[in-house]
């Protein structure tokens, strides 16, 4: 589709493992490997995977907290991957990030007002008075009292701090928000409040989200499309309903069956995967999932499966579904 | 059903900055032999402090069990000396925690840490203990057991470490295993492994499990009975199916409505408004009243009792009866 807001093309990120006297890289951790996808305006793309799947690295690479090892990140046609930090600055305001732990990402010595005002100072030419008015307006939008601007982060609960993080990200009117596990540190009753807020803001501001989380139920709730990652690779990508009804990749299947559901009447058939995720410094040959795959065939050990559109808008990389 | 452990009017308070923090505030609880009882609640509900009180692990100061009894096999654990408690802890009563890395000692091998309780509690020789340790690791589904005995905790994955913790807890055939968020730090596919292991062990060894969790999915999978805590008190108690089919306390109902579920496709989650009140400033009357959709004037003045609302079903709500 030509009108994608964001197009990520074959992006990889390797981290060097340094050693020896000269600190030369001895090996690389392949955190993400040739990831490609598009994001449309106003769309929510859920990214799920377990620890070590590369989902956080992906988010951080897109906003260039990390420099990609290869590939391109096209925002409205401009390749962010090729820009230096200075040239990148005007684009920063369009893609903002919300982190898991809102306490660690808010400076404890700054008031809430100063925190939300900071991006406005950097990215807009608003006067001091206009900025402060804007801060009060943003606080109201995220469901906090406009008078909260004189208080400090420690005076707020986890859910409220997450609201502050969201207000801050919203302040400079981004078109994309990358949210990395935004609700996983919150209690159930508060988690629902923040999810509802994020969904309401999406409508109001026509935001596109990249919503990174390990909790499949949360991702299913908020996303339009869902992408499943394993050991740095995208293994499946489809519209939400299609993915949850007809998972193609055995890893997606196992993931769906692993979630304990809050319904004691539903006794599920379990696919319990054996073993742990292999190390990304030394990923398996062939399909990266073959060491744990209940359906692995001989070909899986040798040949990397191709990323293919198996049915309309449903992509996977699995030899079971490879079309000649 | 035979009673294994009975908690009577337990109050565990903490004192800091001249404030009295009523973390556990009058809990009555019975655990029967061989059952899995889930203790559910959000942060600050008092579920972990209840379990630490059973184990005699409340740091004093700042904490103190100000009243109540914990009756286990005919003895009141609250009144035992630390020395007597040590003969029970890790022996008749065992506990596993959320983050196995912080509960394993990083400078000793798995083998040393696994054989220690056997040598102390069962006075085994080194050889005997090692043999038993191998058997325990096999019991919890660890292949390459001999190799694992020689490793250090950091060399193992999170799932492996939790298996080792469970092996350690099972070492002396405990009557009661307290599991405090045992799978919260683990990935879903690893969580599935650990949950199925705990079920197998329970069936094999007939150990009762007190499972502390915030995850209603884990509860549905594991529990025979469920106790819901809020703001230091039990607000509802019922057998598993009864609790899910017929929740009586508005907080329990609120929790069930607030979780996104894989199986349904509703657009809006029914969040519970507001936040949990701090444990040094509980509201007068019902502690859930400030967030309750059914609140009346009576709720803000009158503290509801935990009353019987059905067979084996109790709720702490003026309007549940």
């Amino acid at each position: 589709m030509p009108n994608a807001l964001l197009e990520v093309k074959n992006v990889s990120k390797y981290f060097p493992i340094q050693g020896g006297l000269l600190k030369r890289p001895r090996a690389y951790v392949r955190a993400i490997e040739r990831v490609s996808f598009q994001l449309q305006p106003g769309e929510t793309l859920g990214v799920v995977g377990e620890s070590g799947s590369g989902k956080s690295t992906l988010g951080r690479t897109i906003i260039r907290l990390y420099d990609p090892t290869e590939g391109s990140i096209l925002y409205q046609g401009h390749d962010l991957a090729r820009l230096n930090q200075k040239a990148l600055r005007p684009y920063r305001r369009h893609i903002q990030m919300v982190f898991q732990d809102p306490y660690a990402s808010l400076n404890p010595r700054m008031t809430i007002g100063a925190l939300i005002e900071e991006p406005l100072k950097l990215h807009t030419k608003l006067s001091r008075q206009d900025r402060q008015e804007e801060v009060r307006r943003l606080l109201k939008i995220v469901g906090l009292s406009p008078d909260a601007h004189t208080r400090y982060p420690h005076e707020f609960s986890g859910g409220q701090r997450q609201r502050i993080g969201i207000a801050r990200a919203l302040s400079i009117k981004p078109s994309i928000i990358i949210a990395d596990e935004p609700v996983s540190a919150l209690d159930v009753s508060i988690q629902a409040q923040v999810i509802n807020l994020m969904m309401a803001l999406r409508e109001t501001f026509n935001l596109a989200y990249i919503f990174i989380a390990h909790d499949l139920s949360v991702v299913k709730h908020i996303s339009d499309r869902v992408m499943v990652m394993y050991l740095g690779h995208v293994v499946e990508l489809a519209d939400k309903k299609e993915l949850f009804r007809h998972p193609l990749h055995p890893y997606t299947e196992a993931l769906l069956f692993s979630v304990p559901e809050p319904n004691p009447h539903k006794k599920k058939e379990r696919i319990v995967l054996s073993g742990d995720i292999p190390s990304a410094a030394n990923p398996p040959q062939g399909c990266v999932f073959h060491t744990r795959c209940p359906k692995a065939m001989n070909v899986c050990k040798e040949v990397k499966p191709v990323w293919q559109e198996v049915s309309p808008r449903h992509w996977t990389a699995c030899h079971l579904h490879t079309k000649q | 059903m035979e009673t294994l452990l009975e908690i009577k009017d337990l109050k565990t308070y903490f004192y800091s900055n001249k404030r009295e923090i009523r973390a556990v505030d009058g809990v009555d609880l019975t655990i029967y032999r061989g059952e899995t009882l889930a203790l559910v609640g959000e942060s600050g509900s008092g579920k972990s402090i209840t379990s630490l009180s059973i184990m005699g692990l409340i740091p004093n100061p700042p904490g103190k069990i100000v009243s109540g009894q914990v009756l286990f096999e005919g003895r009141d654990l609250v009144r035992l000396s630390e020395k007597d408690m040590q003969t029970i802890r890790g022996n008749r009563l065992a506990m596993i925690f959320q983050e196995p890395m912080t509960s394993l000692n990083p400078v000793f091998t798995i083998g040393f840490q696994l054989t220690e309780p056997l040598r102390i509690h069962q006075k085994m020789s080194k050889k005997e203990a090692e043999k038993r340790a191998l058997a325990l690791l096999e019991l919890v589904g660890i292949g390459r057991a001999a190799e694992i005995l020689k490793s250090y905790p950091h060399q193992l994955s999170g799932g492996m470490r939790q298996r080792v913790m469970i092996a350690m807890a099972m070492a002396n055939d405990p009557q009661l295993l307290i599991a405090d968020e045992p799978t919260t730090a683990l990935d879903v596919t690893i969580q599935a492994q650990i949950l199925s292991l705990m079920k197998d062990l329970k069936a094999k060894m007939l150990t009762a499990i007190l499972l502390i969790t915030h995850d209603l999915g884990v509860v549905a999978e594991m529990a025979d009975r469920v106790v819901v805590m809020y703001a230091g008190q039990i607000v509802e108690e019922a057998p598993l199916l009864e609790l899910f089919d017929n929740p009586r306390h508005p907080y329990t109902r609120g929790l069930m409505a607030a979780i996104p579920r894989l199986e349904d496709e509703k657009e809006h989650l029914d969040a519970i408004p507001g936040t949990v009140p701090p444990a040094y400033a509980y509201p007068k009357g019902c502690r859930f009243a400030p967030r309750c959709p059914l609140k009346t004037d009576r709720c803000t003045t009158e503290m509801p009792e935990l009353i019987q609302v059905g067979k084996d079903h109790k709720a702490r709500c003026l309007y549940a009866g």
Side-chain angles (χ1 to χ4, degrees):
Chain A
M1 270 171 277
N3 307 334
L5 183 60
L6 181 79
E7 184 173 8
V8 171
K9 261 190 190 164
N10 292 324
V11 166
S12 301
K13 175 64 192 171
Y14 299 167
F15 293 100
I17 306 172
Q18 280 156 350
L21 209 53
L22 298 171
K23 298 272 182 219
R24 285 207 187 106
R26 275 185 307 179
Y28 290 91
V29 172
R30 297 161 169 229
I32 51 175
E33 185 97 66
R34 299 182 77 81
V35 170
S36 301
F37 66 89
Q38 294 184 340
L39 185 71
Q40 306 300 324
E43 180 186 35
T44 299
L45 176 69
V47 181
V48 288
E50 300 181 280
S51 18
S53 64
K55 56 191 194 301
S56 289
T57 304
L58 176 64
R60 288 163 183 235
T61 306
I62 293 170
I63 64 162
R64 287 283 305 272
L65 283 179
Y66 300 145
D67 293 330
T69 306
E70 61 168 339
S72 51
I73 302 161
L74 300 166
Y75 176 77
Q76 293 186 329
H78 305 279
D79 190 353
L80 305 186
R82 282 170 210 285
L83 299 178
N84 63 29
Q85 290 298 330
K86 196 170 164 231
L88 200 59
R89 202 172 278 171
Y91 294 98
R92 287 238 180 259
R93 64 177 299 172
H94 300 293
I95 310 181
Q96 285 292 305
M97 191 137 183
V98 171
F99 295 92
Q100 169 172 359
D101 182 348
Y103 200 55
S105 50
L106 298 175
N107 185 337
R109 291 167 184 273
M110 287 168 81
T111 63
I112 300 312
L115 279 164
I116 300 175
E117 195 186 340
E118 196 181 33
L120 291 168
K121 269 189 193 164
L122 287 170
H123 290 282
T124 69
K125 294 199 170 82
L126 293 178
S127 70
R128 188 154 178 264
Q129 204 179 354
D130 288 347
R131 288 198 305 263
Q132 284 174 353
E133 201 142 298
E134 183 64 11
V135 167
R136 298 171 79 88
R137 194 179 72 91
L138 284 161
L139 283 170
K140 229 160 126 189
I141 289 172
V142 297
L144 292 170
S145 154
D147 300 327
H149 71 278
T150 57
R151 293 160 63 194
Y152 289 88
H154 74 267
E155 299 175 59
F156 294 88
S157 67
Q160 289 169 327
R161 288 199 288 256
Q162 200 55 290
R163 288 173 192 269
I164 294 163
I166 293 170
R168 197 167 190 240
L170 272 182
S171 62
I172 44 177
K173 305 189 171 64
S175 48
I176 301 174
I177 286 183
I178 300 177
D180 189 357
E181 300 274 11
V183 297
S184 38
L186 304 177
D187 273 317
V188 187
S189 71
I190 309 298
Q191 173 178 307
Q193 293 174 6
V194 174
I195 293 173
N196 285 341
L197 171 68
M198 290 186 71
M199 293 180 78
L201 294 174
R202 175 174 67 188
E203 305 306 318
T204 319
F205 297 97
N206 192 31
L207 288 168
Y209 287 127
I210 295 178
F211 191 97
I212 301 166
H214 69 281
D215 185 327
L216 283 159
S217 327
V218 171
V219 166
K220 184 182 177 203
H221 184 79
I222 199 168
S223 305
D224 300 311
R225 276 192 307 153
V226 177
M227 182 161 116
V228 183
M229 292 187 72
Y230 184 81
L231 207 63
H233 293 68
V234 179
V235 298
E236 190 160 0
L237 170 65
D239 289 335
K240 160 173 86 180
K241 280 187 185 163
E242 166 74 7
L243 187 97
F244 282 87
R245 271 188 209 146
H246 308 291
L248 293 177
H249 199 284
Y251 178 63
T252 312
E253 231 179 345
L255 213 50
L256 292 182
F257 277 108
S258 296
V259 182
E261 280 194 70
N263 178 355
H265 293 287
K266 206 166 156 185
K267 288 285 168 233
K268 291 211 279 198
E269 284 293 311
R270 264 287 163 76
I271 305 175
V272 176
L273 291 180
S274 57
D276 289 307
I277 300 187
S279 157
N282 187 17
Q285 292 286 308
C287 171
V288 280
F289 185 57
H290 85 255
T291 55
R292 298 175 78 197
C293 183
K295 297 176 181 168
M297 306 172 289
N298 279 333
V299 59
C300 306
K301 293 175 193 156
E302 283 144 28
V303 185
K304 202 166 250 197
V306 193
W307 181 238
Q308 277 188 333
E309 190 169 17
V310 174
S311 60
R313 295 176 61 77
H314 194 155
W315 294 70
T316 188
C318 175
H319 286 301
L320 289 170
H321 303 285
T322 301
K323 290 190 285 197
Q324 293 312 316
Chain B
M1 280 186 294
E2 195 189 337
T3 299
L4 176 65
L5 181 129
E6 193 175 3
I7 300 177
K8 285 186 177 165
D9 195 33
L10 178 71
K11 291 184 178 163
T12 306
Y13 292 177
F14 289 79
Y15 298 90
S16 98
N17 291 335
K18 297 190 184 138
R19 286 201 286 228
E20 185 180 64
I21 295 160
R22 289 177 281 161
V24 174
D25 203 12
V27 161
D28 293 277
L29 190 71
T30 304
I31 302 173
Y32 299 103
R33 256 180 216 287
E35 76 166 343
T36 298
L37 176 67
L39 194 53
V40 191
E42 299 182 281
S43 11
S45 61
K47 57 191 193 305
S48 288
I49 301 300
T50 301
S51 68
L52 292 175
S53 303
I54 298 173
M55 292 295 282
L57 291 174
I58 297 295
N60 180 7
K64 194 169 181 247
I65 297 182
V66 296
S67 79
Q69 294 177 303
V70 177
L71 302 170
F72 179 66
E73 300 186 320
R75 292 201 278 182
D76 182 1
L77 301 186
V78 173
R79 274 161 195 80
L80 286 189
S81 67
E82 177 56 25
K83 210 174 144 216
D84 287 337
M85 196 62 209
Q86 275 176 10
T87 64
I88 293 181
R89 202 190 292 136
N91 192 16
R92 312 291 291 162
L93 271 181
M95 185 157 182
I96 55 176
F97 298 89
Q98 171 170 351
E99 197 4 286
M101 193 59 197
T102 51
S103 25
L104 288 168
N105 191 327
V107 300
F108 292 111
T109 61
I110 298 299
F112 178 83
Q113 298 184 58
L114 197 48
T115 50
E116 191 188 23
L118 297 167
R119 299 200 310 191
I120 293 174
H121 288 299
Q122 301 190 12
K123 314 254 179 310
M124 285 187 184
S125 70
K126 198 170 172 224
K127 260 237 161 84
E128 281 173 320
E130 268 168 18
K131 216 175 129 194
R132 173 90 171 114
L134 274 177
L136 282 166
L137 287 184
E138 275 156 24
L139 177 76
V140 297
I142 292 182
R144 303 181 294 128
E147 198 181 310
I148 298 293
L149 280 183
K150 293 195 200 97
S151 352
Y152 288 88
H154 75 270
Q155 296 171 304
L156 308 182
S157 67
M160 275 298 220
R161 286 200 286 259
Q162 199 55 290
R163 283 177 195 268
V164 168
M165 282 305 299
I166 294 174
M168 227 178 256
M170 300 307 285
N172 294 315
D173 296 326
Q175 295 299 300
L176 176 63
L177 175 68
I178 300 179
D180 189 352
E181 302 274 7
T183 58
T184 307
L186 304 176
D187 281 315
V188 273
T189 61
I190 309 298
Q191 164 170 286
Q193 293 172 5
I194 298 294
L195 292 181
S196 91
L197 169 66
M198 286 178 63
K199 272 197 223 162
D200 287 353
L201 285 180
K202 186 193 147 191
K204 241 186 260 173
M205 327 266 290
L206 306 172
T207 311
I209 299 177
L210 176 62
L211 176 69
I212 293 157
T213 179
H214 70 282
D215 185 333
L216 287 172
V218 172
V219 172
E221 187 106 347
M222 302 290 292
D224 301 312
R225 266 186 333 125
V226 189
V227 165
V228 183
M229 283 188 77
Y230 186 81
Q233 297 176 320
I234 291 176
V235 295
E236 187 155 8
E237 179 181 335
L240 178 72
L241 291 180
E242 170 74 5
L243 187 95
F244 276 81
D245 292 346
N246 189 18
R248 299 295 284 277
H249 196 284
Y251 175 65
T252 313
R253 288 188 196 164
L255 274 186
M256 304 239 178
I259 39 175
R261 294 163 190 260
L262 275 185
E263 57 192 2
D264 66 19
E265 293 182 351
K266 64 179 173 194
E267 269 296 298
H268 190 80
L269 295 174
D270 300 311
I272 304 175
T275 50
V276 181
Y280 54 83
Y282 290 134
K284 244 182 102 189
C286 172
R287 292 178 183 173
F288 185 62
R291 307 175 73 188
C292 184
L294 306 174
K295 171 184 74 170
T296 65
D297 286 346
R298 231 181 114 202
C299 302
T300 56
T301 52
E302 196 178 324
M303 161 81 78
E305 297 289 317
L306 189 63
I307 53 164
Q308 202 81 33
V309 294
K311 190 179 176 294
D312 304 322
H313 193 163
K314 292 179 193 164
R316 188 187 291 279
C317 175
L318 292 174
Y319 300 100

